[in-house]
Amino acid sequence: MLWLTLTSLNITPSLVGRALGSVRSASAVSGAIQSALGHHKALAEYVEHYAGLCNPDALHVCDGSEGEYTTFMETMVEDGSMFKLNEAKRPNSYLARSDPRDVARSEESTFISCVNEEDAGPTNNWRDPVEMKATMANLYKDCMVGRTMFVVPFSMGPIGGPISHIGVQLTDSMHVAASMRLMTRMGKAPLEALGTDGEFVKCMHSVGYPLADGKADVAWPCDPDNKYITHYPEENLAESYGSGYGGNSLLGKKAFALRLASAMGKREGWLAEHMLILGVTNPEGKKKYVAAAFPSACGKTNFAMLEPTMPGWKVECVGDDIAWMKFGPDGKLYAINPENGFFGVAPGTSMGTNPNAMRSLDRDCIYTNVAMTADGDVWWEGMTEETPEGMTNWLGEPHNPASNTPAAHPNSRFTVPIANCPVLDPNFEALEGVPIDAIMFGGRRPTTIPLVHEAFSWNHGVLMGASVASEKTAAATGDDIGEIRHDPFAMLPFCGYNMGDYFQHWIDMGKTEGAKLPSMYLVNWFRQDPETGKFIWPGFGENSRVLKWIFERTDGVTDNAAKTPIGYVPTPDALDTDGLAGITNDELTELLRVDPDAWQREINQSDEYLTSTFGPKLPAELKNEIESLKKSF
Ligand code: GTP
Ligand code: SPV
Ligand code: MN
């Protein structure tokens, strides 16, 4: 029988977990849950269903207040699952060390569960929903014994916006509940917005570490051998078990805002994408917005808040990971960032590479798996040139600077409210989003792909997106880091339905009547010198030079590009190189060169991948684009 301890039967969300008394009768519990959840029947049923299955000791409906957050953090510091960092150096900031078996997204344990296997498509792990639910119910059975179930109402996007959606996560992790407050608009406001019958996406999560029979808790509970991150796009439901790591457990992010939302967007005629959104203003004060899809750990956070190296140019950040886009009444594509925080890669972030991230991180952060300095501050590879003495590494051991092992895990991350970003775009909260003029794709490619080129048309741009390939990074577990894999639209791990249908959806969006379509670009910051292996392009703030060229292209400048078989490439003098250091003219020419042999191989490779993977699902429009590219050489 369900047995919950409850403090309050108030109608407003409240701290139900602080036990004042216990309610043992099922109907009293049910009534209390309904009260706490604002008499939203479907929501109460959802909570009761999983509470009944997981059997938590207590239930806590999150109100999202600062006081609640403080209580969470103090509780975790006390129980040893968080370290409070040096208040003088990093105010209001904390460090968590994960179980070393739970450091990144687990793509092999990520599933799309829909009735027909074909609807999940060849790039997803499909499971039959009936079987999957049975598997999950088995794992969830009594999995919260000895723990509190947190009910976390949240909005993806500004509350009440036409592109926004509300979700409710259930979790037995206080760390996850606290992180959801940093990453989303969480608590009382979205719960109230739901009213008594508002629609919400169900996001169920457990770390999978019950505390039955007096079993002691650990600092990072998880069930590393039984991870499941499961999505039921037909039911707007995600179920996650066994992992506390961000992408697997903060279900508003990849599970809802990408996997479930991409399927919602397909059904309803909009797009949910793995894209940053930025605003760029030229010295004359003209502003445009750009969205860009790069695979995980390939530079979105950096590009989204870059500090331009050219005088008079300004970049402002709307989002660094996810974009939801819909056509507006004026025919332009409008984008919102559904998130409210950054969950970003720490290594490589420094005042030199990404000063605006560093400024965002000087307070209010939860860090995961970074190193700790002797004076209780954080450190990671690339943060400073010199490695400080006397550090504790991400495993909690003394760091040996002479060893080859990094002090911070390569996928160590920061979680921080977006409000901390000093260059947050003034339209971040705009309900209708921001109008997108250009869409960029990119990846880590040591060869072949030039610094930037522009697609001839929307359909050609869709082929560009579909052909994205990139070196694998530490953002997902696996021993194949550095291998090039196809990652269409940077969505390979995040598309919640058949990616062939996804390509068709993009093609169809381009046919929208009256649409004023953004131009499309492919960029590559990661060309390497074949001899030294060093990146040829200085990257980071210097990427603003590419952004300037794109700005001018979308602004109608035409004499700044050469037409090549693969698209428009900047003429040698069209890229602003005033003050650009660290790169020779020859290197720059090489970065902009389209090598016909290498490109013919590239196109054949994309053709082979797309045709063999998607077969009849590959849209005819893309086949035509491939054929015309092949003929253009
Ligand atoms: P996810 O959060 O995993 O989706 O990643 P992301 O695309 O936001 O990646 P992020 O911007 O955090 O970059 C990941 C790594 O790439 C960091 O170590 C950066 O320092 C590095 N990086 C970003 N931009 C550049 C660049 O222009 N040049 C080079 N060489 N490295 C870059
Ligand atoms: C990614 O891997 O693309 C991320 C980090 O943005 S996570 O949220 O963990 O997926
Ligand atoms: Mn991402």
Side-chain angles (χ1 to χ4, degrees):
M1 185 181 66
L2 178 61
W3 178 18
L4 301 173
T5 50
L6 302 161
T7 50
S8 151
L9 306 182
N10 283 346
I11 286 173
T12 50
S14 53
L15 293 182
V16 189
R18 323 251 121 204
L20 284 183
S22 49
V23 182
R24 292 178 191 228
S25 108
S27 67
V29 168
S30 184
I33 290 176
Q34 281 197 28
S35 296
L37 298 175
H39 295 283
H40 190 302
K41 200 157 167 273
L43 179 53
E45 277 168 13
Y46 162 57
V47 174
E48 279 185 69
H49 169 73
Y50 283 107
L53 190 56
C54 304
N55 204 8
D57 278 17
L59 193 78
H60 176 112
V61 182
C62 290
D63 64 10
S65 64
E66 199 178 324
E68 179 186 68
Y69 182 76
T70 306
T71 306
F72 285 169
M73 301 319 287
E74 283 170 356
T75 307
M76 287 187 283
V77 169
E78 211 161 289
D79 71 21
S81 55
M82 282 284 170
F83 291 87
K84 174 93 180 69
L85 294 167
N86 185 329
E87 183 66 19
K89 300 201 162 247
R90 267 320 133 173
N92 192 28
S93 294
Y94 301 84
L95 166 64
R97 295 192 184 115
S98 83
D99 185 305
R101 297 164 298 179
D102 196 26
V103 296
R105 275 185 299 101
S106 321
E107 293 182 3
E108 67 292 344
S109 314
T110 300
F111 302 95
I112 299 297
S113 222
C114 48
V115 174
N116 297 316
E117 182 168 3
E118 200 191 25
D119 292 336
T123 59
N124 280 314
N125 294 321
W126 175 80
R127 288 289 187 278
D128 174 81
V130 175
E131 285 169 28
M132 195 65 189
K133 281 203 183 138
T135 302
M136 296 307 287
N138 218 12
L139 292 166
Y140 284 147
K141 180 98 191 73
D142 295 330
C143 73
M144 294 188 185
V145 168
R147 296 191 182 280
T148 297
M149 176 190 265
F150 299 88
V151 179
V152 186
F154 62 95
S155 178
M156 298 311 284
I159 292 171
I163 315 181
S164 305
H165 288 274
I166 289 175
V168 180
Q169 175 151 354
L170 309 179
T171 179
D172 52 6
S173 164
M174 193 180 276
H175 180 163
V176 166
S179 300
M180 287 295 285
R181 178 168 186 269
L182 304 186
M183 292 302 298
T184 70
R185 294 143 174 106
M186 185 276 261
K188 201 169 173 228
L191 183 59
E192 282 176 0
L194 275 183
T196 54
D197 60 356
E199 274 185 31
F200 65 97
V201 169
K202 297 172 181 157
C203 297
M204 166 62 197
H205 170 252
S206 169
V207 293
Y209 198 94
L211 301 172
D213 306 324
K215 184 173 167 183
D217 208 350
V218 290
W220 186 282
C222 62
D223 187 358
D225 299 325
N226 286 301
K227 290 182 197 174
Y228 284 84
I229 302 95
T230 299
H231 310 74
Y232 309 89
E234 288 149 345
E235 299 170 53
N236 283 346
L237 165 68
E239 292 186 321
S240 168
Y241 177 91
S243 171
Y245 169 75
N248 298 333
S249 68
L250 308 177
L251 298 182
K253 194 173 176 64
K254 304 300 185 178
F256 172 4
L258 289 177
R259 301 195 188 98
L260 297 177
S262 60
M264 292 162 81
K266 163 78 178 162
R267 291 193 296 266
E268 299 164 10
W270 52 283
L271 296 165
E273 300 298 331
H274 192 203
M275 289 182 178
L276 68 92
I277 309 163
L278 63 79
V280 51
T281 307
N282 74 4
E284 289 72 49
K286 189 164 186 180
K287 185 167 189 179
K288 290 173 182 285
Y289 286 96
V290 171
F294 311 152
S296 301
C298 289
K300 289 183 301 300
T301 303
N302 280 263
F303 195 59
M305 56 187 84
L306 70 75
E307 212 163 67
T309 48
M310 299 164 308
W313 286 78
K314 185 162 81 176
V315 163
E316 288 161 300
C317 176
V318 180
D320 80 325
D321 198 48
I322 299 176
W324 284 357
M325 303 192 285
K326 246 184 201 176
F327 283 110
D330 61 356
K332 290 194 99 169
L333 195 55
Y334 281 78
I336 64 161
N337 168 16
E339 301 192 274
N340 201 30
F342 302 128
F343 181 62
V345 178
T349 309
S350 71
M351 281 311 284
T353 59
N354 192 351
N356 287 321
M358 291 304 282
R359 291 175 192 122
S360 312
L361 299 182
D362 59 14
R363 62 199 187 283
D364 313 326
C365 261
I366 300 178
Y367 294 93
T368 308
N369 289 340
V370 301
M372 190 159 80
T373 61
D375 57 359
D377 199 0
V378 288
W379 192 85
W380 47 78
E381 275 64 27
M383 184 194 210
T384 54
E385 260 169 48
E386 288 196 4
T387 307
E389 297 284 320
M391 283 195 301
T392 308
N393 71 12
W394 68 277
L395 292 159
E397 300 157 348
H399 178 60
N400 173 8
S403 76
N404 275 331
T405 53
H409 187 276
N411 191 42
S412 52
R413 299 232 169 203
F414 50 79
T415 314
V416 69
I418 201 165
N420 273 24
C421 181
V423 293
L424 185 64
D425 192 82
N427 283 325
F428 167 67
E429 296 279 358
L431 295 184
E432 70 287 357
V434 297
I436 299 296
D437 283 303
I439 291 178
M440 298 163 61
F441 302 103
R444 288 178 180 263
R445 293 296 301 271
T447 67
T448 315
I449 313 292
L451 185 61
V452 58
H453 69 286
E454 183 187 272
F456 294 123
S457 65
W458 178 267
N459 285 358
H460 180 210
V462 175
L463 178 63
M464 266 182 181
S467 306
V468 166
S470 188
E471 289 178 350
K472 271 204 73 179
T473 65
T477 52
D479 48 17
D480 48 356
I481 290 170
E483 263 176 42
I484 294 179
R485 70 162 177 183
H486 288 276
D487 189 348
F489 285 76
M491 282 288 277
L492 185 72
F494 308 121
C495 184
Y497 61 103
N498 190 314
M499 199 159 239
D501 293 331
Y502 168 94
F503 298 154
Q504 189 65 56
H505 181 44
W506 265 85
I507 298 278
D508 294 345
M509 289 290 285
K511 295 178 183 161
T512 306
E513 219 181 292
K516 297 195 184 78
L517 298 174
S519 316
M520 299 214 241
Y521 301 84
L522 183 66
V523 297
N524 180 20
W525 319 139
F526 298 95
R527 275 281 275 277
Q528 288 173 12
D529 182 316
E531 257 138 55
T532 63
K534 106 173 190 354
F535 296 118
I536 303 172
W537 177 247
F540 304 106
E542 301 293 11
N543 295 334
S544 57
R545 298 175 188 276
V546 172
L547 197 54
K548 178 184 174 189
W549 182 76
I550 290 173
F551 185 109
E552 289 163 351
R553 291 292 295 169
T554 62
D555 214 30
V557 181
T558 51
D559 61 358
N560 56 353
K563 191 171 181 186
T564 78
I566 62 163
Y568 296 103
V569 177
T571 50
D573 51 354
L575 208 64
D576 186 339
T577 53
D578 259 13
L580 175 63
I583 180 165
T584 65
N585 271 341
D586 285 353
E587 284 174 325
L588 197 58
T589 309
E590 177 58 24
L591 281 183
L592 293 173
R593 194 167 73 91
V594 177
D595 177 339
D597 292 339
W599 263 97
Q600 273 164 325
R601 278 197 301 276
E602 176 75 16
I603 292 160
N604 287 337
Q605 240 271 307
S606 297
D607 183 13
E608 153 56 32
Y609 165 73
L610 293 171
T611 307
S612 69
T613 310
F614 301 102
K617 282 277 189 194
L618 187 66
E621 290 88 342
L622 288 192
K623 286 186 204 149
N624 292 341
E625 289 298 324
I626 294 171
E627 286 319 308
S628 76
L629 262 185
K630 281 183 172 174
K631 278 193 215 125
S632 67
F633 282 94

